[in-house]
Amino acid sequence: MSVSDQEITNDFTSLMLGEGVKPIKAEAKVSAREHLRRGDMQALEQRRREAEGVDERFRFTDNQLLNPLDPVEWKRDGVQEGVYRNLRLGKYTVDARLDLINRTLSEACEEVPNFVKECYRLGLRTVMITHGRGKHLQAPQNRMKSALTLWLPNIDEVLAFHSCQPQHGGLAAIYLLLRKNEEQRLANLERHR
């Protein structure tokens, strides 16, 4: 060390050993075994859910899980059949993609609305979400697919969604049709006046 570094180290040490400086007290840690011994099963269950990445809001009953081989489809009232057919057939250019493979449901619950709102703000109309494809009813990919079919209709910017065509991921992905943003609506209004 150079002299200046040594002086800085000595100054810092003397400041830390001076009056008014107290060490930070750490809280006592309680192990999972101690929780179990105390009978605190709720804390253990909460810890287990956090480790699994599944919140109570995202739990599904077996009747809410979709068959992994079934395509998903949904559209709001007012969406023209021709527009929905073109979405279903993959005729629109996909402007953005969100990959949810290997994500937990709690991560996806935060990412999906943010992704949709950002795409809406940028004026993107057709986007795709890849959720993966599970072979079994309880597979994480099937849980994600089932969750998306429950969440997406609650997002105002989403007009319709459908499972993708095989060249875009098939049953492992979903096309989303988004509303026009204000700028696009005004441009459309001007064009048709």
Side-chain angles (χ1 to χ4, degrees):
M1 271 205 273
S2 67
V3 175
S4 62
D5 288 344
Q6 184 65 36
E7 289 174 1
I8 292 171
T9 304
N10 288 340
D11 288 344
F12 179 76
T13 305
S14 63
L15 285 173
M16 289 297 111
L17 296 176
E19 291 182 28
V21 178
K22 297 177 185 175
I24 298 173
K25 293 182 182 178
E27 294 181 17
K29 295 181 181 176
V30 180
S31 69
R33 287 185 185 181
E34 184 64 23
H35 280 294
L36 186 59
R37 190 179 67 71
R38 291 180 185 173
D40 192 1
M41 298 305 289
Q42 287 181 338
L44 284 176
E45 185 62 30
Q46 177 64 26
R47 185 173 171 194
R48 184 176 298 119
R49 281 194 300 269
E50 289 173 3
E52 292 172 354
V54 179
D55 193 348
E56 275 302 315
R57 298 175 293 167
F58 312 121
R59 292 214 180 265
F60 296 99
T61 59
D62 287 339
N63 62 354
Q64 289 176 306
L65 288 173
L66 302 172
N67 184 332
L69 301 177
D70 287 345
V72 296
E73 57 184 7
W74 177 84
K75 70 179 181 101
R76 289 194 193 280
D77 291 338
V79 174
Q80 297 174 356
E81 284 301 320
V83 171
Y84 186 64
R85 182 180 60 246
N86 287 340
L87 176 73
R88 179 173 50 86
L89 296 175
K91 292 190 176 182
Y92 295 125
T93 303
V94 175
D95 300 320
R97 298 169 195 260
L98 175 64
D99 187 0
L100 296 178
I101 295 176
N102 296 327
R103 304 288 178 129
T104 64
L105 287 175
S106 56
E107 290 173 339
C109 183
E110 292 176 15
E111 286 185 40
V112 169
N114 292 338
F115 171 72
V116 169
K117 289 182 188 319
E118 183 66 16
C119 290
Y120 172 77
R121 188 184 66 75
L122 294 173
L124 306 178
R125 295 294 313 278
T126 308
V127 297
M128 189 169 77
I129 297 177
T130 305
H131 52 76
R133 181 173 174 190
K135 295 181 181 179
H136 306 290
L137 192 66
Q138 297 290 337
Q141 297 88 348
N142 193 47
R143 289 184 165 281
M144 186 70 72
K145 174 182 170 180
S146 300
L148 286 171
T149 60
L150 294 174
W151 297 339
L152 291 173
N154 296 323
I155 301 174
D156 291 334
E157 291 81 6
V158 176
L159 288 177
F161 61 83
H162 198 283
S163 292
C164 290
Q165 291 294 310
Q167 68 269 22
H168 294 136
L171 296 175
I174 297 176
Y175 297 125
L176 269 70
L177 179 66
L178 304 181
R179 292 183 189 280
K180 293 178 182 176
N181 64 18
E182 277 303 313
E183 293 173 12
Q184 292 169 322
R185 271 192 234 141
L186 291 174
N188 196 31
L189 206 93
E190 290 294 323
R191 192 176 331 128
H192 294 291
R193 276 193 180 172

